[in-house]
Amino acid sequence: MFKLLLLASLLVAGGTAAAQQFGGHPPSTRWRQINTDSVRVIFPAGLQREAAEVTGMIHRLAARPLHPLGKDFRKISIVLQPRSTISNGYVSLGPWRSEFLLTPLQNSFQLGSISWHRSLALHEFRHVEQYNNFRKGISRLAYYLAGQQGQELVNSAAVPDYFWEGDAVYQETQLSEQGRGRLPNFFNGYRSLWAAQKEYSWMKLRNGSLRDYVPDHYRLGYLMVAYGYEQYGNSFWGKVTDDAARYRGLFYPWQKAIRKYSGQSYPAFRDSALQFFKGQQAGNPTALDQWVAGQAHFAGDEEFPQWLDEQRLILVGSSYKKIPAFYIRDAGSGRQEKLRVRDISLDDQFSYRNGRLVYAAYEPDIRWRWYDYSVIRLLDIATNKQRTLTHRSRYFAPDISEDGSRIVAVQVVPGTSEPSQLHLLSSEDGRLLKALPNPDGLFYTYPKFFGTNQVVTAARNRKGEMALGLIDTETGHAQWLTNWTMRVIGFPTVHQDTIAFTATQGTADRLFIWTSNQLYRFLPPDSSAATGQYQLQLANGRFVWTAFTAAGYRLQQGAFTAGQLKRVSVAELAGPEPDFGVSNLAQGMDIIEQPADTSLYPVTPYPATAKLINVHSWRPFINDPDYTFSLLSDNVLNTLQSEIYFNYNRNEKNKQLGLTFTYAALFPWLRAGTSYTIDRPAAYGNNTVYLNEWQSNLGLLVPLNFSRGRQSRYLTLSSDIVYNKRYFQGIYKDTFDNRAFAYGNYSVSFSNQSQRARMQLYPRWAQSIQLNYRSAITLFDARQFLANAYWYFPGLLSTHHLVLNTAFQQRDTLRNHFFSSSFPFARGYEGYNYHQLLKLGANYHLPLVYPDAGIANIVYFQRVRANCFFDFTRVMDYTNQKVKVEADFRSYGMELFFDTKWWNQHEVNFGIRYSRLLDGALQGLGPKQWEFILPVNLLGAR
């Protein structure tokens, strides 16, 4: 086991969760805090109510945990982030903190309708309890040896990721009237597999697939965790995780603990859990299920269909090989043409009326990483021209009026008395025409124009209940068409005086129609399907809706008749959400409904400079040929990263001790560092000179994000002043000038890339360019310039890529100082720092096979891919006699990469390279060279 842990630590290449952002707030941000004995909630001014409610919920959760995993408790800091349009949250070690991104989703079927910050508190605090009680046994030893990131690594190897998230989903479900464990949409994934009789191996269910739909570890985890609590009691998982975190039994501690406390083998336990929920399968196999069963792999998603006329539909489509785009489809023949690739968006929703289409697109702020926007795009389908109507806005789910003059959209601003508002905008210039009042603090989703002066929308109140209502655009008065209920309602659409929508009924999401003041259940063919029915559109005597299947969201269409309507009462939509046979959910506590007494939680300023030095981990790091041991520090606001490190370079055999700081609370970022290198080699004629080197730097970093439309664009500028002092060793110590000097280090990094589909290795179109110039500014002349670029083009198939590499480097010939080289030398050769180097490289990347298979629950192979390459490097150098020497270094060969997951959750990509050297004799190398390629990342946050 210790060998495995050592190997894992050596594989670590560093990393943070995608949700985390370094810096990201203007210096003018006024931070506040509620600081108690169990939690510190940090937030920008204006979020006092949300902060108090989060604090109160966490106090109640900490005081009376329903399913304790242990008795250990450590205080955590939670940072509330209201400026991002992304809905997310995480808890991390390294450093110990949590962040809540406060903008809720429009789609209530996915995460529910409970107030988002409360739902986050229920879910994320369970991760706090998990981390607090998993520092024991060998996991505690890992903490002592490597700090918080050491505990994270060892915990994740012992306790599967499905438990972390499934247990948190179970808590959010049991301690509220909703939670994902009560949402039919949450079960659609496994129901769709069962309905299509797709029987995947356990390792495939655990690790997913790049070509087949596999429900994620949240869904799998809930099935496992809920079954464990249901069958073996409230203490079951506490005992299992205690043994696993301690590594009792050393090898496969999780499997052994489940056998010990359930009396079943691990495979038998898994099968029983899946059968428990499969036995509750709602609905019957349909013709669509039979079609899905015949699909070899994931076919693609078809969503938000809308009628152009009697025969044509417009929809948004995507697949694992194609990025999202708008398509026009002939409803009879099924033939379709692509209208336009959709801009980068967080939601597939769009609205069409009279030749014009509107949707919300995602745009990040150029400077501040915690700020991003949702702007409205308007597309004329006749001309295929698109305009941006709003800028730096937070608009969601826009709809265009019948006459095309107005747009209604939901504006979301967390931390206000009206968390969402319906805004009426001009479709010509995006100008705000009217903001409808929202005195009850409702959260609106997917509004649609209904007639001239009304908007129909699904709404959520502060408790989390939903209703469908008509809002008068003149007065703001609301008429509610359904009762308020914890059952989810959404996706309203309008055709003349008829409103169609989806709502939860029983254990499934079904289609409903409201017309002439009456409510009807819509019963199309296959209406008893096991999975959900969404996005019903009526027009010209026809219907179309979207069905959830294991091959993707698929359109279902037909002729609309009165016989497809079944009258129901509004009361049938009310009532609690289902429990899907988990009777243990009835034991929950009333956590959400208890109001927060804000007087109990005084608000005080939180200094932006609080605890800037926060050492949390010490770990090895490998990026061959560099082997590093680092002491890491990050503050809770993530504005200062610092590191003390020792590095050994395998190529040059030198040793280096260093210290670095990067401070991102200002803009530009500030960075500084100092290092001392021992035994650094340098070429002197035919001899090697060794020197010790002390180097310090102070500089600025300007990271800019120009992502817009369909492209992601990043520009980073940096400038450093570096102080360098060399100490030559041995017989040459008096030959060279040992005086200190300073030089400037200036860099520009630019990348531009299109969106990438799941199965695509790289973007179809992209450019990545790096420029670096270093020049001595005191004592003597020394210069070096490097330009390195990668150019990405489509290959023969949609998952193939042609990648060209061009590079140029030149340094002075004075030999006063040799700057280190990052030139991408021809593969297979030693990369010497010649005076001038030119590189041309060609790569053709393609996938070979998707095994979707693993070994002993340790390693799982998702994809094997290859790269055929040819490299040409021309060097020009000068000897001591100033004689110019030219030489070419050519190589070709193949790289074989394995995209894998280790311990069923850590993505590790490694490869083998074979290089055939055409000019190897110039470096005394044989024609055949083999190398092991190891770019990996094993750490993250929850």
Side-chain angles (χ1 to χ4, degrees):
M1 187 67 207
F2 285 104
K3 290 183 178 180
L4 285 176
L5 297 178
L6 178 59
L7 173 62
S9 65
L10 290 176
L11 290 175
V12 172
T16 54
Q20 300 181 54
Q21 299 283 0
F22 186 49
H25 286 279
S28 59
T29 303
R30 295 180 299 152
W31 292 100
R32 300 291 184 263
Q33 66 175 330
I34 295 177
N35 188 17
T36 72
D37 57 349
S38 57
V39 66
R40 183 196 304 269
V41 180
I42 305 166
F43 53 94
L47 293 171
Q48 288 85 346
R49 180 177 62 83
E50 288 84 351
E53 290 180 350
V54 168
T55 303
M57 288 182 62
I58 288 177
H59 269 267
R60 295 192 290 274
L61 289 167
R64 293 188 297 148
L66 193 59
H67 303 300
L69 298 174
K71 298 181 179 179
D72 292 340
F73 184 82
R74 284 176 288 277
K75 180 177 177 178
I76 191 169
S77 295
I78 300 174
V79 183
L80 305 185
Q81 302 285 3
R83 304 302 181 189
S84 175
T85 58
I86 298 172
S87 304
N88 205 351
Y90 73 89
V91 175
S92 76
L93 289 174
W96 177 230
R97 69 171 172 213
S98 177
E99 293 192 271
F100 293 2
L101 284 65
L102 296 182
T103 299
L105 280 180
Q106 283 285 297
N107 189 343
S108 303
F109 294 100
Q110 290 185 7
L111 297 176
S113 56
I114 295 172
S115 297
W116 179 233
H117 63 284
R118 295 178 176 181
S119 182
L120 282 172
L122 284 178
H123 183 96
E124 301 302 336
F125 188 73
R126 188 57 170 178
H127 293 320
V128 174
E129 295 176 293
Q130 291 163 350
Y131 278 125
N132 278 338
N133 289 286
F134 292 172
R135 188 190 294 179
K136 56 185 63 171
I138 289 180
S139 297
R140 182 186 294 273
L141 176 61
Y143 170 77
Y144 289 139
L145 293 177
Q148 293 177 12
Q149 290 186 352
Q151 179 192 342
E152 157 71 19
L153 179 65
V154 175
N155 277 171
S156 61
V159 180
D161 59 350
Y162 77 71
F163 175 81
W164 294 86
E165 297 301 349
D167 187 47
V169 170
Y170 189 87
Q171 171 154 295
E172 75 183 53
T173 304
Q174 187 167 37
L175 300 185
S176 72
E177 293 185 61
Q178 203 175 72
R180 274 169 279 188
R182 299 182 191 272
L183 300 180
N185 182 275
F186 189 69
F187 294 87
N188 278 346
Y190 276 95
R191 286 178 166 184
S192 68
L193 294 183
W194 297 331
Q197 298 181 343
K198 290 186 177 289
E199 301 292 337
Y200 295 149
S201 69
W202 172 251
M203 288 199 73
K204 186 168 182 173
L205 293 177
R206 283 286 288 112
N207 293 280
S209 172
L210 294 173
R211 60 178 182 171
D212 295 316
Y213 169 72
V214 178
D216 62 24
H217 57 291
Y218 288 77
R219 290 161 174 79
L220 177 63
Y222 182 77
L223 302 189
M224 297 294 112
V225 170
Y227 174 78
Y229 282 129
E230 184 74 9
Q231 297 297 314
Y232 303 105
N234 292 342
S235 63
F236 175 71
W237 289 113
K239 292 183 287 187
V240 169
T241 57
D242 183 76
D243 278 16
R246 295 181 186 277
Y247 280 78
R248 284 184 175 146
L250 201 57
F251 297 102
Y252 297 102
W254 182 259
Q255 291 86 332
K256 291 179 179 179
I258 285 181
R259 173 186 282 276
K260 177 180 177 180
Y261 295 110
S262 72
Q264 296 188 81
S265 68
Y266 186 51
F269 176 88
R270 298 180 327 227
D271 292 343
S272 296
L274 293 174
Q275 287 299 324
F276 175 84
F277 287 96
K278 187 176 182 180
Q280 305 168 38
Q281 175 81 306
N284 303 308
T286 65
L288 180 59
D289 294 327
Q290 295 174 8
W291 176 85
V292 174
Q295 299 299 303
H297 304 294
F298 185 80
D301 286 325
E302 304 167 339
E303 294 189 85
F304 293 95
Q306 294 165 65
W307 292 100
L308 290 174
D309 50 42
E310 293 183 1
Q311 277 299 114
R312 295 184 302 158
L313 292 162
I314 187 169
L315 63 137
V316 61
S318 64
S319 73
Y320 289 173
K321 295 181 180 181
K322 296 180 180 179
I323 60 178
F326 298 112
Y327 293 90
I328 295 177
R329 174 181 296 181
D330 185 285
S333 66
R335 290 192 299 269
Q336 64 183 29
E337 60 175 320
K338 183 166 68 174
L339 181 64
R340 188 185 195 276
V341 170
R342 190 197 64 194
D343 288 0
I344 300 170
S345 302
L346 299 177
D347 192 339
D348 288 329
Q349 183 272 347
F350 74 96
S351 179
Y352 168 82
R353 293 278 179 87
N354 290 331
R356 296 206 283 182
L357 178 156
V358 292
Y359 66 101
Y362 172 82
E363 284 189 0
D365 189 83
I366 293 176
R367 291 188 299 171
W368 310 116
R369 294 187 169 191
W370 273 118
Y371 284 58
D372 52 63
Y373 310 101
S374 184
V375 301
I376 295 179
R377 305 271 203 255
L378 185 145
L379 175 64
D380 187 317
I381 69 168
T383 64
N384 208 9
K385 292 184 178 179
Q386 180 175 275
R387 293 187 291 126
T388 300
L389 295 183
T390 65
H391 302 275
R392 299 173 67 86
S393 60
R394 297 172 59 86
Y395 286 126
F396 301 87
D399 182 53
I400 190 167
S401 62
E402 188 68 36
D403 63 7
S405 65
R406 296 179 299 165
I407 291 172
V408 62
V410 181
Q411 179 189 243
V412 180
V413 183
T416 63
S417 59
E418 298 184 357
S420 75
Q421 282 188 325
L422 295 177
H423 281 195
L424 299 178
L425 310 169
S426 167
S427 63
E428 294 304 315
D429 54 15
R431 173 172 47 92
L432 177 63
L433 301 176
K434 190 170 188 178
L436 302 184
N438 182 12
D440 297 325
L442 303 176
F443 186 81
Y444 299 114
T445 65
Y446 297 123
K448 297 288 182 181
F449 282 104
F450 184 73
T452 305
N453 299 316
Q454 288 181 305
V455 169
V456 60
T457 181
R460 308 178 341 205
N461 61 23
R462 295 191 185 277
K463 181 181 178 180
E465 296 171 321
M466 297 200 72
L468 187 70
L470 290 172
I471 312 297
D472 190 292
T473 57
E474 297 296 326
T475 65
H477 174 74
Q479 173 192 351
W480 300 108
L481 308 181
T482 67
N483 298 329
W484 289 95
T485 174
M486 293 305 297
R487 296 188 180 183
V488 176
I489 299 173
F491 300 130
T493 63
V494 173
H495 175 61
Q496 296 177 355
D497 62 348
T498 299
I499 299 170
F501 63 97
T502 297
T504 298
Q505 185 183 52
T507 58
D509 297 325
R510 297 306 186 204
L511 300 174
F512 294 86
I513 288 176
W514 186 91
T515 185
S516 302
N517 292 317
Q518 297 293 335
L519 181 66
Y520 299 88
R521 166 86 189 279
F522 178 60
L523 300 172
D526 293 344
S527 60
S528 63
T531 60
Q533 305 165 340
Y534 306 97
Q535 303 160 13
L536 173 63
Q537 288 274 348
L538 304 173
N540 306 312
R542 296 182 63 81
F543 69 80
V544 61
W545 54 279
T546 299
F548 188 106
T549 80
Y553 283 100
R554 308 304 294 174
L555 299 191
Q556 304 295 292
Q557 60 180 0
F560 176 73
T561 66
Q564 295 164 337
L565 298 181
K566 176 185 177 182
R567 187 169 177 176
V568 295
S569 68
V570 174
E572 291 186 46
L573 291 185
E577 288 277 31
D579 61 15
F580 294 93
V582 184
S583 60
N584 228 18
L585 295 179
Q587 301 177 23
M589 298 183 298
D590 186 14
I591 291 292
I592 283 190
E593 288 308 304
Q594 297 181 35
D597 186 350
T598 56
S599 64
L600 297 177
Y601 310 119
V603 176
T604 59
Y606 183 80
T609 56
K611 203 174 183 182
L612 287 177
I613 302 300
N614 178 35
V615 177
H616 54 76
S617 303
W618 36 98
R619 62 174 173 84
F621 176 96
I622 180 171
N623 187 16
D624 192 67
D626 290 304
Y627 296 77
T628 308
F629 186 84
S630 298
L631 194 67
L632 305 175
S633 170
D634 296 84
N635 65 325
V636 169
L637 287 181
N638 208 12
T639 55
L640 179 66
Q641 292 180 347
S642 50
E643 177 182 3
I644 300 175
Y645 65 89
F646 174 80
N647 182 75
Y648 174 74
N649 184 281
R650 183 178 59 84
N651 284 349
E652 296 187 351
K653 306 294 190 296
N654 65 54
K655 286 76 68 180
Q656 185 181 76
L657 181 65
L659 172 66
T660 65
F661 295 92
T662 303
Y663 186 62
L666 303 174
F667 199 88
W669 296 357
L670 305 177
R671 63 182 182 185
T674 186
S675 65
Y676 190 79
T677 304
I678 302 172
D679 295 334
R680 178 185 169 189
Y684 179 63
N686 295 324
N687 300 313
T688 300
V689 178
Y690 290 92
L691 64 145
N692 296 344
E693 187 175 46
W694 177 39
Q695 185 163 283
S696 299
N697 67 282
L698 179 65
L700 303 174
L701 188 70
V702 182
L704 301 172
N705 189 341
F706 292 100
S707 299
R708 294 291 185 275
R710 292 171 286 187
Q711 304 291 119
S712 296
R713 300 183 183 91
Y714 303 93
L715 175 65
T716 300
L717 310 174
S718 66
S719 176
D720 294 90
I721 300 299
V722 183
Y723 173 86
N724 182 279
K725 172 68 173 175
R726 297 169 296 174
Y727 305 90
F728 287 90
Q729 307 297 304
I731 62 174
Y732 294 100
K733 66 180 181 180
D734 298 323
T735 304
F736 299 97
D737 191 342
N738 281 335
R739 287 179 295 171
F741 77 104
Y743 68 88
N745 186 9
Y746 316 101
S747 294
V748 177
S749 176
F750 174 76
S751 69
N752 176 54
Q753 64 182 50
S754 61
Q755 301 173 66
R756 180 164 62 100
R758 181 187 184 96
M759 293 179 67
Q760 291 173 345
L761 305 172
Y762 302 104
R764 300 273 281 167
W765 300 96
Q767 306 84 41
S768 176
I769 303 170
Q770 292 182 318
L771 306 176
N772 178 254
Y773 179 67
R774 283 177 279 188
S775 175
I777 55 179
T778 65
L779 191 61
F780 49 67
D781 287 336
R783 295 177 300 277
Q784 181 172 285
F785 172 75
L786 169 66
N788 187 22
Y790 289 89
W791 314 87
Y792 297 79
F793 301 95
L796 296 176
L797 300 179
S798 62
T799 55
H800 292 200
H801 306 270
L802 174 64
V803 182
L804 304 181
N805 176 215
T806 57
F808 174 77
Q809 179 174 291
Q810 181 169 308
R811 61 175 173 84
D812 65 274
T813 60
L814 299 176
R815 310 179 70 85
N816 290 324
H817 179 74
F818 297 96
F819 294 106
S820 61
S821 175
S822 298
F823 184 84
F825 212 85
R827 276 162 280 195
Y829 294 94
E830 296 291 337
Y832 294 116
N833 190 356
Y834 297 99
H835 289 110
Q836 189 177 97
L837 302 100
L838 175 68
K839 161 79 177 292
L840 298 175
N843 304 267
Y844 193 86
H845 295 268
L846 70 160
L848 298 178
V849 64
Y850 298 86
D852 285 349
I855 301 172
N857 282 305
I858 295 178
V859 60
Y860 178 80
F861 293 88
Q862 286 190 301
R863 176 171 55 198
V864 181
R865 51 190 170 93
N867 174 37
C868 303
F869 69 87
F870 175 81
D871 284 347
F872 169 84
T873 297
R874 171 162 292 178
V875 306
M876 285 162 278
D877 204 25
Y878 291 85
T879 67
N880 289 340
Q881 290 77 32
K882 302 299 182 182
V883 177
K884 187 176 182 180
V885 177
E886 293 188 12
D888 293 339
F889 294 85
R890 298 165 297 165
S891 65
Y892 66 89
M894 176 176 285
E895 297 168 330
L896 194 64
F897 292 95
F898 301 88
D899 297 333
T900 68
K901 284 189 176 182
W902 289 72
W903 299 292
N904 297 305
Q905 58 199 64
H906 297 299
E907 293 188 0
V908 179
N909 307 317
F910 61 90
I912 301 171
R913 176 187 297 142
Y914 167 73
S915 302
R916 180 77 177 185
L917 308 188
L918 301 181
D919 307 290
L922 293 174
Q923 292 187 353
L925 299 173
K928 299 178 181 179
Q929 297 293 317
W930 293 88
E931 298 174 83
F932 187 57
I933 309 169
L934 189 64
V936 296
N937 173 17
L938 291 185
L939 293 185
R942 302 195 182 280

